[in-house]
Amino acid sequence: MSKKLSFLKRAHLTRHPMAQKLLKIMEDKQSNLCLAADVASQKQLFALADELGPDLCMLKTHVDILEDFSPDFGAKLRALADKHNFLIFEDRKFADIGQTVLLQYTQGIYRIAEWAHIINAHIVPGPGIIEGLKGSNLLLLAEMSSSGTLAKGAYTRNAVAMAQQYPETVMGLICLHALCKDPGIIHVTPGVKLEPGQDALGQRYRTVDEILIRNKSDIIIVGRDITHAKDPKKTAGLYRKRGWECYVQTLG
Ligand code: S5P
């Protein structure tokens, strides 16, 4: 079984500043856990960020799910990110032509560019979407966790090739498996539960061990299994611990 490079080594090998920053946070906090904080109110989101922040390398938002968004949202979440040393990943899944995604990223009510450290995009429009988001820190969707996804085969290979063509912008992939060995491409995987299974709307869940050991991904994104748990703090701690143990095993 081929061994992985440590996050710290990769931080030294990549020139992408945000990839370096994330890899160092992972090493420092011994965490490859990203929380999907899909909640309806700022209060709930900030409470999760403050309580679980010490366990996280990233906190993933869907800002358009919030029912009470206000312009001070970004500054408040950034303060919690600074306090607990995690990065904010706005899961906007941009999917339009370059000019439009640039406006969606920088303008409108959410002003994502002002507070999100990391964003993501689909590759279906072609490389213009990356050109439009130059200056951001981008994850490309190469695979999806949902059943029947069209993101596979040649589509996935094209996503990897596009990531490699834009190493100054792209710092990772949303995927189910490690797809390339570039140290600055961080593999981030959603669809995670302690037990495998699926939800009623096509989401498919794999275990931490399958994703990090068998599939060699780097980061697990966990949503409802933590946010809907009886004790979210304790559950996040379990995921952080298991995620780190799996990572250590892959180093050999
Ligand atoms: O392929 C994907 C990509 C993403 S970013 N599948 C996903 O589920 N996601 C996101 O991960 C999704 O939008 C949600 O925020 C999170 C999974 O949440 P869970 O509650 O199912 O763990």
Side-chain angles (χ1 to χ4, degrees):
M1 202 167 71
S2 67
K3 304 296 178 205
K4 281 179 61 159
L5 282 180
S6 74
F7 296 139
L8 199 60
K9 270 205 193 102
R10 286 168 62 184
H12 292 304
L13 288 172
T14 177
R15 282 162 59 187
H16 193 299
M18 196 57 77
Q20 275 175 1
K21 191 165 176 177
L22 177 55
L23 289 162
K24 283 187 187 149
I25 288 175
M26 291 161 74
E27 191 76 42
D28 285 350
K29 296 177 77 174
Q30 302 207 336
S31 171
N32 46 13
L33 174 63
C34 170
L35 176 72
D38 296 340
V39 291
S41 75
Q42 293 191 58
K43 195 175 163 203
Q44 284 171 286
L45 181 48
F46 297 150
L48 280 169
D50 204 14
E51 202 187 352
L52 276 51
D55 293 303
L56 309 176
C57 62
M58 275 199 297
L59 183 141
K60 188 176 82 61
T61 54
H62 280 298
V63 70
D64 54 358
I65 287 179
L66 288 174
E67 287 172 355
D68 58 357
F69 176 82
S70 56
D72 59 357
F73 167 78
K76 286 185 173 160
L77 188 57
R78 275 299 269 259
L80 289 167
D82 290 344
K83 177 178 172 191
H84 295 299
N85 196 27
F86 61 77
L87 299 181
I88 304 166
F89 163 25
E90 164 56 26
D91 186 5
R92 172 62 179 75
K93 296 189 182 71
F94 293 100
D96 213 319
I97 60 167
Q99 174 60 22
T100 301
V101 296
L102 174 61
L103 294 173
Q104 291 172 322
Y105 175 49
T106 57
Q107 307 291 312
I109 56 172
Y110 297 128
R111 307 270 162 171
I112 294 167
E114 290 177 9
W115 51 267
H117 297 100
I118 297 166
I119 55 171
N120 58 353
H122 287 292
I123 59 154
V124 70
I129 192 166
I130 304 176
E131 300 279 350
L133 295 170
K134 257 193 185 150
S136 74
N137 304 299
L138 197 57
L139 306 175
L140 295 181
L141 284 116
E143 294 177 306
M144 292 194 70
S145 60
S146 40
S147 91
T149 175
L150 307 181
K152 58 184 182 183
Y155 186 93
T156 298
R157 288 193 291 279
N158 277 310
V160 176
M162 277 171 62
Q164 289 171 324
Q165 268 160 32
Y166 291 88
E168 66 294 334
T169 304
V170 180
M171 58 175 287
L173 298 166
I174 299 290
C175 54
L176 305 175
H177 319 83
L179 296 167
C180 67
K181 295 212 152 142
D182 306 39
I185 295 200
I186 302 172
H187 297 91
V188 183
T189 302
V192 186
K193 270 198 166 181
L194 293 172
E195 298 296 327
Q198 53 192 68
D199 75 2
L201 298 172
Q203 174 71 300
R204 279 183 308 188
Y205 291 107
R206 295 166 177 80
T207 63
V208 180
D209 289 52
E210 178 174 356
I211 289 164
L212 296 180
I213 298 179
R214 174 126 76 93
N215 295 357
K216 302 261 175 39
S217 189
D218 298 313
I219 293 179
I220 46 170
I221 296 176
V222 184
R224 284 165 285 179
D225 216 26
I226 291 176
T227 57
H228 290 32
K230 237 194 255 152
D231 186 343
K233 173 76 186 165
K234 190 173 153 201
T235 310
L238 285 176
Y239 271 106
R240 191 199 62 73
K241 185 164 174 287
R242 188 64 205 146
W244 196 255
E245 285 167 359
C246 289
Y247 159 71
V248 169
Q249 273 191 43
T250 61
L251 298 176

